[in-house]
């Protein structure tokens, strides 16, 4: 940990399509390339054939041990430090949110407004993490999202929130996009919050929508009749969950007594090396530790990333995933 003494103010991402939607604006809303259909005949790097069938049918897949448990723990330790909270002292866990969240369903869910710290980049530039996204995309030329992390605490009076199911991108646009969550602590207790999704709705969206009102919220489905279809995904520390952006998903309430859901959001999309504005924004975001500008990303008003921590060091893979070096 080291103070840099100065920082650059938050510069708006040139990706204007993210102004009023939840999706992450550090990459495009949708890729011009389609997700892998195996027509390239390339062997899978990480997924097995059974994994591939599961991915295609359910719209999500869990990559076991994408990072080591030690690396997951190191990242979790950093998040506790960054949030000025003590993992072993629940009296430090609860505080008013530092910045107002425009995306109200995320309020109180424990989003950690850190985006470019070394701990996060260490996970992004892991070969196994990258190879998993190569499998689902069918191309090696990828950019990683500049995204944050999550400390989801047990609810108590004054600190309650509703679980939710949503899409980050309008499913009517059929986005070619995926998203990901890296578990930084075991998440096998269904009461402790964590990721939930509805594979049945992922598969049946085109027929389901015919029974829905035309003025429905395109980002938040009415799931009253789908409660028994919600899947609560179990993860162990170091596991990576990848899901298709057509998958309705969200965070479930943490109803445990003392367990904290800890995670980092990681995804990759085909690189847009000709998009000079977006590439410059990404490099500037890494260089000056700047959060994305968008509906769901308020940033840290304390400016801890800039004032307390050094710029992340990137390996050869990380430089390409950022956009600094060409593929």
């Amino acid at each position: 940990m080291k103070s840099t003494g100065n920082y650059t103010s938050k510069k708006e991402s040139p990706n204007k399509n993210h102004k009023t939607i939840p999706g992450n604006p550090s990459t495009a809303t949708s890729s011009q390339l389609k997700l892998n259909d195996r027509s390239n005949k390339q062997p899978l790097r990480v997924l097995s054939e059974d994994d591939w069938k599961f991915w295609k049918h359910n719209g999500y897949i869990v990559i076991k041990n994408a990072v080591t448990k030690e690396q997951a723990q190191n990242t979790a330790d950093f998040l506790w430090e960054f949030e000025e909270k003590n993992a072993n002292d629940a009296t430090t866990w609860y505080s008013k949110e530092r910045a107002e969240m425009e995306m109200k369903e995320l309020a109180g869910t424990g989003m950690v407004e850190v985006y470019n710290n070394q701990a996060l980049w260490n996970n992004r530039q892991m070969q196994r993490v990258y190879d998993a996204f190569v499998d689902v995309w069918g191309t090696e030329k990828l950019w990683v999202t500049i995204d944050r992390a999550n400390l989801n605490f047990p609810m108590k009076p004054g600190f309650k929130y509703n679980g939710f199911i949503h899409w980050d991108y309008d499913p009517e646009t059929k986005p070619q996009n995926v998203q990901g969550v890296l578990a930084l602590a075991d998440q096998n207790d269904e009461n402790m919050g964590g990721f939930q999704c509805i594979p049945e709705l992922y598969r049946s969206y085109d027929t389901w929508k015919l029974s829905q009102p035309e003025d429905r919220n395109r980002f938040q489905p009415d799931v009253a009749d789908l409660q028994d279809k919600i899947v609560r995904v179990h993860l162990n520390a170091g596991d990576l969950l990848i899901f298709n952006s057509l998958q309705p998903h969200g965070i479930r309430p943490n109803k445990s007594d003392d367990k904290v859901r800890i995670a980092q959001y990681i995804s990759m999309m085909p690189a847009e090396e000709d998009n000079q504005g977006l590439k410059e924004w990404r490099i500037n975001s890494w260089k000056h530790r700047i959060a994305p500008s968008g509906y769901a990303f308020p940033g840290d008003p304390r400016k801890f990333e800039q004032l307390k921590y050094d710029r992340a060091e990137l390996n050869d893979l990380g430089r390409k995933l950022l956009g600094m070096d060409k593929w």
Side-chain angles (χ1 to χ4, degrees):
M1 185 166 66
K2 181 180 178 181
S3 172
T4 62
N6 56 65
Y7 60 86
T8 298
S9 61
K10 188 171 179 179
K11 183 180 179 182
E12 184 173 323
S13 167
N15 201 334
K16 304 296 186 183
N17 292 333
H18 284 85
K19 291 293 288 185
T20 58
I21 68 172
N24 187 291
S26 65
T27 56
T29 56
S30 181
S31 174
Q32 295 182 5
L33 294 179
K34 292 187 179 298
L35 288 161
N36 193 5
D37 60 6
R38 308 291 297 280
S39 61
N40 61 10
K41 306 300 183 183
Q42 294 298 310
L44 296 171
R45 299 184 176 193
V46 174
L47 274 64
S48 67
E49 290 298 331
D50 285 343
D51 289 337
W52 180 260
K53 292 175 183 176
F54 187 94
W55 159 252
K56 295 299 289 183
H57 184 68
N58 294 289
Y60 77 92
I61 189 65
V62 175
I63 311 301
K64 303 299 292 183
N65 303 307
V67 306
T68 66
K69 292 188 182 298
E70 179 182 16
Q71 188 162 318
Q73 183 62 57
N74 288 342
T75 310
D77 290 344
F78 160 71
L79 295 178
W80 286 107
E81 173 190 296
F82 184 83
E83 285 294 274
E84 301 179 287
K85 301 179 189 297
N86 186 333
N88 300 310
D89 183 359
T91 64
T92 69
W93 294 357
Y94 302 93
S95 58
K96 184 179 178 181
E97 291 186 328
R98 298 184 184 96
E100 183 178 358
M101 184 73 70
E102 283 188 69
M103 185 178 165
K104 297 306 180 187
E105 61 262 40
L106 290 181
T109 59
M111 293 299 172
V112 181
E113 293 297 314
V114 60
Y115 294 87
N116 278 291
N117 186 267
Q118 185 72 61
L120 305 187
W121 272 103
N122 287 344
N123 297 327
R124 292 169 184 158
Q125 58 193 5
M126 285 289 290
Q127 188 69 39
R128 184 168 170 81
V129 171
Y130 164 69
D131 284 344
F133 284 103
V134 171
D135 281 352
V136 301
W137 277 110
T139 179
E140 295 180 341
K141 298 179 179 181
L142 300 175
W143 278 356
V144 69
T145 49
I146 310 297
D147 212 334
R148 63 191 157 192
N150 183 248
L151 286 174
N152 184 224
F153 300 110
M155 294 190 299
K156 72 172 191 176
F159 293 90
K160 293 186 177 182
Y161 56 92
N162 296 319
F164 64 90
I165 296 286
H166 75 173
W167 288 284
D168 289 281
Y169 304 91
D170 183 352
E172 284 295 295
T173 66
K174 302 297 183 186
Q176 294 295 305
N177 205 332
V178 299
Q179 295 160 256
V181 183
L182 177 68
L184 303 176
D186 291 348
Q187 300 170 24
N188 294 309
D189 182 344
E190 291 190 2
N191 290 319
M192 69 179 291
F195 183 86
Q196 58 182 358
C197 62
I198 312 181
E200 178 66 30
L201 180 52
Y202 164 77
R203 291 189 289 267
S204 64
Y205 174 81
D206 285 336
T207 53
W208 167 86
K209 71 178 183 180
L210 299 177
S211 66
Q212 303 301 304
E214 290 188 10
D215 62 350
R216 69 185 183 280
N217 186 328
R218 293 287 180 86
F219 296 91
Q220 293 179 311
D222 181 350
V223 298
D225 296 331
L226 295 169
Q227 291 299 307
D228 62 337
K229 304 295 185 182
I230 296 176
V231 173
R232 297 163 180 84
V233 181
H234 293 189
L235 300 167
N236 291 317
D239 292 350
L240 172 67
L241 167 72
I242 300 175
F243 61 98
N244 192 308
S245 291
L246 290 170
Q247 174 76 258
H249 66 279
I251 296 175
R252 59 184 186 266
N254 188 338
K255 298 179 180 179
S256 70
D257 293 329
D258 58 2
K259 294 183 175 69
V260 181
R261 183 260 190 154
I262 314 176
Q264 178 183 345
Y265 299 104
I266 299 179
S267 186
M268 296 185 191
M269 285 186 67
E272 294 187 89
E273 294 182 324
D274 293 332
N275 188 336
Q276 191 64 29
L278 185 56
K279 180 168 68 174
E280 289 177 357
W281 180 88
R282 289 170 57 80
I283 295 171
N284 190 61
S285 174
W286 160 77
K287 186 175 183 180
H288 296 291
R289 281 82 81 201
I290 296 172
S293 294
Y295 173 57
F297 303 90
D300 176 19
R302 302 169 303 169
K303 306 294 183 185
F304 269 17
E305 280 205 79
Q306 297 90 350
L307 298 175
K308 295 185 66 174
Y309 299 96
D310 286 335
R311 180 183 306 153
E313 295 183 4
L314 307 181
N315 61 21
D316 289 344
L317 175 58
R319 290 173 64 90
K320 292 177 179 177
L321 289 173
L322 175 63
M324 183 178 297
D325 293 345
K326 281 198 168 187
W327 284 99

